[in-house]
Amino acid sequence: MGDRGGLLDPLFHNMPLWLLGLAWFGVCLLAREAGVQLYRWRKARNPAIGENSIAAQAHIVAAIFGLLAFVIGLTFSIALERFDTRRGLVIEEANAISTAYLRSSLLDDPNRSLMQKTLRDYAQTRIAPEGIWDEQAEAQMKLSLALRTQLWDQTRTAVFPVRETDMASYFLETINEVLNVGTRRQVAARAHIPTRIMDVLFLYIAVAASVLGYMLGDQPGGNREATAVLLFLFSMMIITIVDLDRPQAGALQVPQVAMEELVATLQRDAPPAAARPPP
C-alpha cells in the first residue's frame, strides 16, 4: 500500500490536476528567477564570478537534468506498472465472477437463485472501486464487503450437503477466486507511489530550476523562453505521473468495460421482477 503522510500528500490526492500543474510550473519559474537573482547578487560582490567556463556550466546543468530525467522515468514506470495492474485486475475479476455465475447454475433452487442474485449485486459494486476514497466510494466498498460475506455464507450452505463431491470442489475453487481477486483489487486500488518519493522529486526539480537560473545568470538571448519550455515539459511529466496514480480522478482512468459488460449480461439474465398485486 502506498505510503501516506508526505509533505505534499494533500496536493497529490486532492488538488485538481490542472491546478496542480499550473502551481508547480509557477514554482519552477520562481525557483529559476531566484537562481538568477542569486547569481546577480554574487556577481555584484565579486565581478570575477562571470569568468567561469561556459562548457563547465553546461556539464553541470546536463548532469543535474540528466539525473532528473532518470528519476522521473523511474517514477513513471512505477506509476504505469500499478496502473496496468489495476486494469488487469478488472478483467480478471470480471472473468472470475462470470465463471462463478455460470457454475452456480448447476445448483438446485433456492441456492441457485440466491447465489446468482448475490453475484449480480456484487458485480454491480465492483465497478470502479479504484481512485480517491470519498464517502460514496467507502459506502460502496462496505456494501461490497457485506456481499462478499453473504456470498461465502451462501456457498457454504449450498455445497455442505455435497462437500465430498468434485462439483463442490470446483465450485469452492471458483468462489475462492472471486473473493481473492476482489481482495487483491481492493489492495491495488489503495496502492500509490510513496508520497515521500514525490516530495523528493518535486524538491529536486525546484532546486534544479534554481541551479539552471544561476548558471544562466544574466546571459543575453532567449534563455528564459527556452528554460521555461524545459521546465514546463518536466512539470507536465510529473503531472502525468500523478494522473496515473489517481486511477479514477483524472484523465487517465482504469477502463471498466469488462465489468460493465458483465453487469449488463447478468442483469439480462436476471428473472423478471414479480408484478405487484392491484390495489
Side-chain angles (χ1 to χ4, degrees):
M1 224 176 256
D3 171 54
R4 296 300 182 90
L7 179 63
L8 301 177
D9 184 70
L11 300 181
F12 295 145
H13 299 286
N14 298 322
M15 182 180 290
L17 288 174
W18 65 269
L19 182 57
L20 179 60
L22 289 178
W24 188 248
F25 179 57
V27 169
C28 291
L29 293 180
L30 290 175
R32 184 197 63 182
E33 293 303 313
V36 172
Q37 296 303 320
L38 178 61
Y39 171 84
R40 292 176 178 175
W41 177 79
R42 290 200 61 196
K43 187 176 181 180
R45 297 172 63 91
N46 183 15
I49 197 174
E51 298 176 0
N52 294 332
S53 171
I54 296 179
Q57 295 179 4
H59 286 306
I60 294 174
V61 172
I64 291 174
F65 280 90
L67 180 58
L68 176 61
F70 172 77
V71 173
I72 289 179
L74 183 62
T75 309
F76 180 83
S77 66
I78 296 174
L80 185 60
E81 180 182 0
R82 297 193 178 191
F83 183 86
D84 287 337
T85 298
R86 295 183 183 108
R87 179 170 55 185
L89 285 175
V90 173
I91 300 175
E92 187 176 347
E93 186 174 28
N95 291 334
I97 295 175
S98 177
T99 302
Y101 189 87
L102 293 175
R103 292 189 182 183
S104 65
S105 63
L106 300 176
L107 301 174
D108 296 326
D109 275 329
N111 293 323
R112 177 177 63 225
S113 300
L114 291 175
M115 290 211 63
Q116 289 186 340
K117 181 181 184 305
T118 302
L119 286 169
R120 285 194 297 269
D121 295 340
Y122 180 69
Q124 184 69 47
T125 66
R126 302 306 295 165
I127 297 178
E130 295 88 356
I132 295 180
W133 289 87
D134 53 14
E135 294 182 359
Q136 182 178 359
E138 289 289 353
Q140 181 175 331
M141 182 55 64
K142 289 181 181 179
L143 176 59
S144 178
L145 294 175
L147 289 172
R148 199 177 299 177
T149 302
Q150 180 179 335
L151 181 62
W152 176 249
D153 292 339
Q154 292 175 354
T155 300
R156 182 176 53 189
T157 302
V159 303
F160 188 80
V162 293
R163 60 187 179 278
E164 297 181 356
T165 65
D166 291 339
M167 175 184 173
S169 177
Y170 294 148
F171 191 68
L172 280 174
E173 180 182 354
T174 303
I175 297 300
N176 281 333
E177 181 66 14
V178 171
L179 300 179
N180 290 338
V181 175
T183 301
R184 281 156 47 202
R185 190 177 172 200
Q186 180 181 350
V187 172
R190 299 194 181 214
H192 299 277
I193 297 174
T195 49
R196 288 181 177 83
I197 292 180
M198 297 301 296
D199 290 347
V200 172
L201 183 58
F202 272 64
L203 178 62
Y204 187 102
I205 192 174
V207 174
S210 62
V211 172
L212 179 62
Y214 181 86
M215 291 299 182
L216 291 176
D218 53 0
Q219 295 179 12
N223 291 323
R224 289 180 180 273
E225 292 78 5
T227 55
V229 172
L230 178 63
L231 294 175
F232 175 78
L233 292 177
F234 276 113
S235 299
M236 186 173 62
M237 284 304 303
I238 293 180
I239 296 306
T240 303
I241 293 172
V242 177
D243 195 3
L244 283 171
D245 209 38
R246 295 182 181 183
Q248 290 298 333
L252 302 173
Q253 298 187 359
V254 175
Q256 303 291 313
V257 177
M259 193 62 66
E260 291 172 350
E261 291 179 349
L262 172 65
V263 169
T265 300
L266 298 185
Q267 291 299 331
R268 287 195 298 267
D269 189 62
R276 294 183 178 180

